[in-house]
Amino acid sequence: FWLKTCPLTLALHLSATPPAMKLTCAAALTASAAVPETMTALVATSATQKSLKTFPTPQLGDLHKKFTNLPESCEVLVQVGCSSINPADGYVSGPFPQVMGSDLAGTVVEVQDSCKRLKVGDKVWADIGAVTSSGKENGAYAPFAVALETQLGPMPANLGVKEACSLPKVALTSYKALVWYGGAPYTASNGTVVVLGGSGGTGTTGIQLAKALGATRIITTTSTANIDYVKSLGATEAIDYHQQNWYDVLKDGEVDVVYDCVGEAGTGDQ
């Protein structure tokens, strides 16, 4: 799923093969152009009511006015070039009204004076969907989003905007799962990792990160149609879940880590 955001339009593009998509967008702001006072955004007015609306463009300082107990960080206004849709993005909590969306890739258009790391014109990427003590920060499903400088990273030069906007939430989720809880980095003595659901978003990043973090044997579940894909990412073995249960194939004590990207009931009992 890819969401292309533009200064005057917001269009949702759904595609199984993102590189083949044709996306159009109004030109980016020039150095002398003013940020518009309003924008078209996907706005939630309650936990169940969401629609495209004309909405005030966010301003520097909005986050610290809206949320309490935020980290000590300056704020940055980003012109969003692209966003993505994750399962968690379908749910929203207050405060309302709120622009939805968490992943973004785009260009810095304004920074507060106290910002030292980023400057106007920098290409950035981020998952800005932070949960705070006073609600959840979102805002990526719009042409402009405000974020803490600490939430934003320089966009890798070898990634296009569509690749960059699809990665933050799934990559961060996989990194936290493997490094914080899964024992990475790995060695030959603990390097057998199972990734359940290897062709999804977290599975795709999980396989690649497991390999980069030293896993020597990466087993994943997927459908037959995606076996070549997951092996191209670094999986050494693939189990077609339509034909076999992974826990019937693998022996007790054979695996060091299971990264569950499916969430099927009972998985933790296997």
Side-chain angles (χ1 to χ4, degrees):
F1 298 104
W2 304 81
L3 187 72
K4 182 72 176 181
T5 58
C6 308
L8 298 179
T9 61
L10 187 69
L12 182 63
H13 300 262
L14 306 180
S15 174
T17 54
M21 290 192 312
K22 296 185 180 298
L23 300 177
T24 60
C25 185
L29 289 178
T30 63
S32 59
V35 175
E37 294 183 358
T38 60
M39 60 184 184
T40 301
L42 183 60
V43 178
T45 53
S46 72
T48 58
Q49 299 295 319
K50 309 143 185 141
S51 62
L52 287 176
K53 292 180 177 293
T54 299
F55 201 74
T57 301
Q59 298 180 359
L60 298 178
D62 280 357
L63 292 181
H64 284 86
K65 293 176 183 177
K66 190 173 185 179
F67 300 101
T68 58
N69 300 319
L70 292 180
E72 292 184 5
S73 174
C74 63
E75 297 185 17
V76 175
L77 185 67
V78 178
Q79 184 173 11
V80 180
C82 184
S83 187
S84 64
I85 300 176
N86 301 280
D89 292 319
Y91 305 92
V92 62
S93 58
F96 298 110
Q98 178 184 132
V99 177
M100 300 178 66
S102 54
D103 279 346
L104 65 79
T107 305
V108 174
V109 292
E110 291 181 2
V111 298
Q112 289 185 317
D113 291 341
S114 56
C115 290
K116 304 299 182 186
R117 188 168 56 85
L118 297 175
K119 62 184 185 302
V120 173
D122 284 349
K123 303 294 183 183
V124 293
W125 63 341
D127 170 7
I128 64 171
V131 177
T132 76
S133 60
S134 51
K136 186 175 181 182
E137 173 198 348
N138 281 305
Y141 293 168
F144 296 92
V146 66
L148 301 178
E149 187 185 44
T150 52
Q151 292 179 292
L152 302 167
M155 194 177 91
N158 63 333
L159 293 183
V161 68
K162 289 184 289 185
E163 293 174 300
C165 79
S166 72
L167 284 170
K169 187 176 289 294
V170 291
L172 286 169
T173 299
S174 293
Y175 181 86
K176 289 189 286 187
L178 296 175
V179 175
W180 292 11
Y181 307 107
Y186 302 110
T187 65
S189 63
N190 70 340
T192 299
V193 177
V194 173
V195 179
L196 302 180
S199 55
T202 49
T204 291
T205 54
I207 292 170
Q208 296 175 82
L209 283 169
K211 182 177 180 180
L213 291 165
T216 54
R217 185 184 180 198
I218 303 171
I219 307 158
T220 191
T221 60
T222 189
S223 61
T224 297
N226 290 319
I227 286 178
D228 288 343
Y229 170 68
V230 296
K231 287 189 172 181
S232 75
L233 300 175
T236 55
E237 302 167 46
I239 299 169
D240 185 343
Y241 66 88
H242 291 293
Q243 300 179 20
Q244 296 174 295
N245 292 318
W246 64 274
Y247 45 84
D248 292 330
V249 175
L250 302 174
K251 300 176 182 177
D252 289 346
E254 186 177 0
V255 172
D256 297 303
V257 178
V258 176
Y259 176 29
D260 183 8
C261 302
V262 179
E264 187 176 13
T267 297
D269 299 324
Q270 304 302 326

